[in-house]
PDB file of all heavy atoms in Angstrom:
ATOM      1  N   GLU D 152     126.244  98.146 163.532  1.00 94.00           N
ATOM      2  CA  GLU D 152     125.490  99.166 164.280  1.00 94.00           C
ATOM      3  C   GLU D 152     124.563  99.902 163.325  1.00 94.00           C
ATOM      4  O   GLU D 152     124.862 100.046 162.151  1.00 94.00           O
ATOM      5  CB  GLU D 152     126.463 100.129 164.957  1.00 94.00           C
ATOM      6  CG  GLU D 152     127.458 100.827 164.026  1.00 94.00           C
ATOM      7  CD  GLU D 152     126.926 102.045 163.333  1.00 94.00           C
ATOM      8  OE1 GLU D 152     125.924 102.593 163.818  1.00 94.00           O
ATOM      9  OE2 GLU D 152     127.492 102.465 162.305  1.00 94.00           O
ATOM     10  N   ARG D 155     122.022 106.301 164.796  1.00 95.00           N
ATOM     11  CA  ARG D 155     122.063 107.624 164.174  1.00 95.00           C
ATOM     12  C   ARG D 155     122.627 108.629 165.159  1.00 95.00           C
ATOM     13  O   ARG D 155     122.224 108.621 166.331  1.00 95.00           O
ATOM     14  CB  ARG D 155     120.652 108.089 163.789  1.00 95.00           C
ATOM     15  CG  ARG D 155     120.099 107.392 162.582  1.00 95.00           C
ATOM     16  CD  ARG D 155     118.621 107.626 162.511  1.00 95.00           C
ATOM     17  NE  ARG D 155     117.961 107.151 163.726  1.00 95.00           N
ATOM     18  CZ  ARG D 155     116.663 107.305 163.989  1.00 95.00           C
ATOM     19  NH1 ARG D 155     115.911 107.960 163.154  1.00 95.00           N
ATOM     20  NH2 ARG D 155     116.132 106.830 165.101  1.00 95.00           N
ATOM     21  N   GLU D 156     123.515 109.482 164.684  1.00 91.00           N
ATOM     22  CA  GLU D 156     123.998 110.536 165.564  1.00 91.00           C
ATOM     23  C   GLU D 156     122.817 111.415 165.949  1.00 91.00           C
ATOM     24  O   GLU D 156     121.925 111.645 165.141  1.00 91.00           O
ATOM     25  CB  GLU D 156     125.067 111.362 164.852  1.00 91.00           C
ATOM     26  CG  GLU D 156     126.368 110.626 164.777  1.00 91.00           C
ATOM     27  CD  GLU D 156     127.447 111.429 164.071  1.00 91.00           C
ATOM     28  OE1 GLU D 156     127.409 112.663 164.107  1.00 91.00           O
ATOM     29  OE2 GLU D 156     128.331 110.789 163.485  1.00 91.00           O
ATOM     30  N   LYS D 205     124.422  95.664 156.586  1.00 95.00           N
ATOM     31  CA  LYS D 205     124.796  97.013 157.034  1.00 95.00           C
ATOM     32  C   LYS D 205     125.024  97.959 155.855  1.00 95.00           C
ATOM     33  O   LYS D 205     124.437  99.038 155.766  1.00 95.00           O
ATOM     34  CB  LYS D 205     126.061  96.916 157.903  1.00 95.00           C
ATOM     35  CG  LYS D 205     126.699  98.224 158.234  1.00 95.00           C
ATOM     36  CD  LYS D 205     125.811  99.082 159.090  1.00 95.00           C
ATOM     37  CE  LYS D 205     126.190 100.525 158.928  1.00 95.00           C
ATOM     38  NZ  LYS D 205     125.813 101.391 159.966  1.00 95.00           N
ATOM     39  N   PHE D 250     113.007 109.385 155.476  1.00 98.00           N
ATOM     40  CA  PHE D 250     114.140 109.584 154.565  1.00 98.00           C
ATOM     41  C   PHE D 250     113.709 110.025 153.175  1.00 98.00           C
ATOM     42  O   PHE D 250     114.328 109.695 152.175  1.00 98.00           O
ATOM     43  CB  PHE D 250     115.060 108.350 154.530  1.00 98.00           C
ATOM     44  CG  PHE D 250     116.005 108.359 155.690  1.00 98.00           C
ATOM     45  CD1 PHE D 250     115.526 108.153 156.973  1.00 98.00           C
ATOM     46  CD2 PHE D 250     117.358 108.650 155.527  1.00 98.00           C
ATOM     47  CE1 PHE D 250     116.362 108.234 158.075  1.00 98.00           C
ATOM     48  CE2 PHE D 250     118.204 108.731 156.618  1.00 98.00           C
ATOM     49  CZ  PHE D 250     117.698 108.517 157.893  1.00 98.00           C
ATOM     50  N   LYS D 252     113.134 113.433 152.800  1.00 98.00           N
ATOM     51  CA  LYS D 252     113.188 114.873 153.018  1.00 98.00           C
ATOM     52  C   LYS D 252     114.193 115.466 152.030  1.00 98.00           C
ATOM     53  O   LYS D 252     115.396 115.198 152.111  1.00 98.00           O
ATOM     54  CB  LYS D 252     113.625 115.113 154.470  1.00 98.00           C
ATOM     55  CG  LYS D 252     113.369 116.459 154.985  1.00 98.00           C
ATOM     56  CD  LYS D 252     112.006 116.575 155.708  1.00 98.00           C
ATOM     57  CE  LYS D 252     111.686 117.998 156.062  1.00 98.00           C
ATOM     58  NZ  LYS D 252     111.193 118.849 154.969  1.00 98.00           N
ATOM     59  N   GLY D 258     125.020 114.067 154.561  1.00 97.00           N
ATOM     60  CA  GLY D 258     126.414 114.234 154.951  1.00 97.00           C
ATOM     61  C   GLY D 258     126.694 113.273 156.084  1.00 97.00           C
ATOM     62  O   GLY D 258     126.023 112.248 156.229  1.00 97.00           O
ATOM     63  N   CYS D 261     128.825 108.541 157.752  1.00 92.00           N
ATOM     64  CA  CYS D 261     128.420 107.212 157.252  1.00 92.00           C
ATOM     65  C   CYS D 261     127.974 107.200 155.799  1.00 92.00           C
ATOM     66  O   CYS D 261     128.606 106.557 154.960  1.00 92.00           O
ATOM     67  CB  CYS D 261     127.318 106.648 158.132  1.00 92.00           C
ATOM     68  SG  CYS D 261     127.913 106.232 159.758  1.00 92.00           S
ATOM     69  N   PHE D 320     126.148 118.470 160.345  1.00 97.00           N
ATOM     70  CA  PHE D 320     125.636 117.786 159.138  1.00 97.00           C
ATOM     71  C   PHE D 320     124.153 117.475 159.255  1.00 97.00           C
ATOM     72  O   PHE D 320     123.487 117.220 158.259  1.00 97.00           O
ATOM     73  CB  PHE D 320     126.465 116.543 158.815  1.00 97.00           C
ATOM     74  CG  PHE D 320     126.102 115.285 159.557  1.00 97.00           C
ATOM     75  CD1 PHE D 320     125.227 114.363 159.004  1.00 97.00           C
ATOM     76  CD2 PHE D 320     126.632 115.014 160.804  1.00 97.00           C
ATOM     77  CE1 PHE D 320     124.880 113.192 159.675  1.00 97.00           C
ATOM     78  CE2 PHE D 320     126.288 113.857 161.494  1.00 97.00           C
ATOM     79  CZ  PHE D 320     125.413 112.949 160.926  1.00 97.00           C
ATOM     80  N   LYS D 321     123.633 117.508 160.484  1.00 96.00           N
ATOM     81  CA  LYS D 321     122.191 117.407 160.723  1.00 96.00           C
ATOM     82  C   LYS D 321     121.950 117.931 162.142  1.00 96.00           C
ATOM     83  O   LYS D 321     122.908 118.140 162.897  1.00 96.00           O
ATOM     84  CB  LYS D 321     121.712 115.963 160.566  1.00 96.00           C
ATOM     85  CG  LYS D 321     122.309 115.008 161.586  1.00 96.00           C
ATOM     86  CD  LYS D 321     121.659 113.652 161.478  1.00 96.00           C
ATOM     87  CE  LYS D 321     122.056 112.812 162.666  1.00 96.00           C
ATOM     88  NZ  LYS D 321     121.424 111.521 162.686  1.00 96.00           N
TER      89      LYS D 321
HETATM   90  C1  UDX N   1     123.318 106.915 159.529  1.00 73.56           C
HETATM   91  C2  UDX N   1     122.301 105.771 159.610  1.00 73.56           C
HETATM   92  O1  UDX N   1     120.978 106.305 159.688  1.00 73.56           O
HETATM   93  C3  UDX N   1     122.596 104.867 160.771  1.00 73.56           C
HETATM   94  O2  UDX N   1     121.672 103.791 160.785  1.00 73.56           O
HETATM   95  C4  UDX N   1     124.012 104.362 160.564  1.00 73.56           C
HETATM   96  O3  UDX N   1     124.364 103.401 161.401  1.00 73.56           O
HETATM   97  C5  UDX N   1     124.978 105.530 160.589  1.00 73.56           C
HETATM   98  O4  UDX N   1     124.634 106.391 159.513  1.00 73.56           O
HETATM   99  P1  UDX N   1     123.665 109.277 160.664  1.00 73.56           P
HETATM  100  O5  UDX N   1     124.797 109.461 159.714  1.00 73.56           O
HETATM  101  O6  UDX N   1     123.884 109.594 162.099  1.00 73.56           O
HETATM  102  O7  UDX N   1     123.133 107.760 160.654  1.00 73.56           O
HETATM  103  O8  UDX N   1     122.474 110.214 160.170  1.00 73.56           O
HETATM  104  P2  UDX N   1     121.045 110.064 159.508  1.00 73.56           P
HETATM  105  O9  UDX N   1     120.020 110.538 160.445  1.00 73.56           O
HETATM  106  O10 UDX N   1     120.853 108.735 158.897  1.00 73.56           O
HETATM  107  O11 UDX N   1     121.170 111.165 158.346  1.00 73.56           O
HETATM  108  C6  UDX N   1     122.200 111.100 157.371  1.00 73.56           C
HETATM  109  C7  UDX N   1     122.156 112.289 156.460  1.00 73.56           C
HETATM  110  O12 UDX N   1     121.025 112.241 155.605  1.00 73.56           O
HETATM  111  C8  UDX N   1     122.081 113.648 157.161  1.00 73.56           C
HETATM  112  O13 UDX N   1     122.978 114.527 156.517  1.00 73.56           O
HETATM  113  C9  UDX N   1     120.658 114.099 156.955  1.00 73.56           C
HETATM  114  O14 UDX N   1     120.538 115.513 156.921  1.00 73.56           O
HETATM  115  C10 UDX N   1     120.352 113.490 155.600  1.00 73.56           C
HETATM  116  N1  UDX N   1     118.929 113.248 155.365  1.00 73.56           N
HETATM  117  C11 UDX N   1     118.278 112.322 156.142  1.00 73.56           C
HETATM  118  C12 UDX N   1     118.254 113.914 154.353  1.00 73.56           C
HETATM  119  O15 UDX N   1     118.837 114.750 153.638  1.00 73.56           O
HETATM  120  N2  UDX N   1     116.944 113.613 154.122  1.00 73.56           N
HETATM  121  C13 UDX N   1     116.257 112.701 154.861  1.00 73.56           C
HETATM  122  O16 UDX N   1     115.063 112.476 154.577  1.00 73.56           O
HETATM  123  C14 UDX N   1     116.946 112.032 155.900  1.00 73.56           C
END
Side-chain angles (χ1 to χ4, degrees):
E152 56 83 20
R155 286 165 302 175
E156 285 180 28
K205 170 65 204 202
F250 278 69
K252 197 92 188 78
C261 291
F320 84 94
K321 64 173 191 177

